[in-house]
Amino acid sequence: MRGNIAQLMQQAQRMQDNLKKAQEELGSVEVQGQSGGGMVKVTLTGKMECRAVRIDPSVLSDAEMLEDLVTAAFNDAVNKANEESQKRMSAATAGMPIPPGMKIPGLF
């Protein structure tokens, strides 16, 4: 029985180490969202830090359309960053599902 508990603790420690490494890697991953056929592009890191916003000068004359395009590009980038994060976290847990909302101390 004690061997099983020790083995479980080792597995949990490895999983936590893998999750921490994946979380650190997300800081250097960049994703790009776009809208309007590429007229607006937003670059985010995997940790949701904005790195760049590119706007085609042709859309500068219509403020309302530009606002919509920036919003759509940002949301596209967030979705891509979330997908990348999910993929990396899933790999780090070796397929072990982590219930939604569960927080790993020191990681999230």
Side-chain angles (χ1 to χ4, degrees), residues 16-61:
Q16 187 173 16
D17 292 344
N18 289 342
L19 284 169
K20 188 173 183 177
K21 181 181 175 190
Q23 189 74 11
E24 289 169 359
E25 290 173 355
L26 284 172
S28 62
V29 169
E30 290 188 355
V31 296
Q32 187 177 77
Q34 59 179 326
S35 64
M39 290 190 291
V40 175
K41 297 177 183 178
V42 174
T43 303
L44 296 179
T45 68
K47 289 187 173 185
M48 305 298 174
E49 296 169 346
C50 187
R51 292 285 187 215
V53 176
R54 302 281 183 251
I55 300 172
D56 187 295
S58 66
V59 298
L60 294 175
S61 61

Side-chain angles (χ1 to χ4, degrees), residues 71-83:
T71 300
F74 185 81
N75 288 335
D76 185 40
V78 166
N79 288 334
K80 288 178 180 178
N82 282 332
E83 288 173 14

Side-chain angles (χ1 to χ4, degrees), residues 92-103:
T93 61
M96 286 181 56
I98 294 182
M102 181 178 168
K103 306 278 187 205

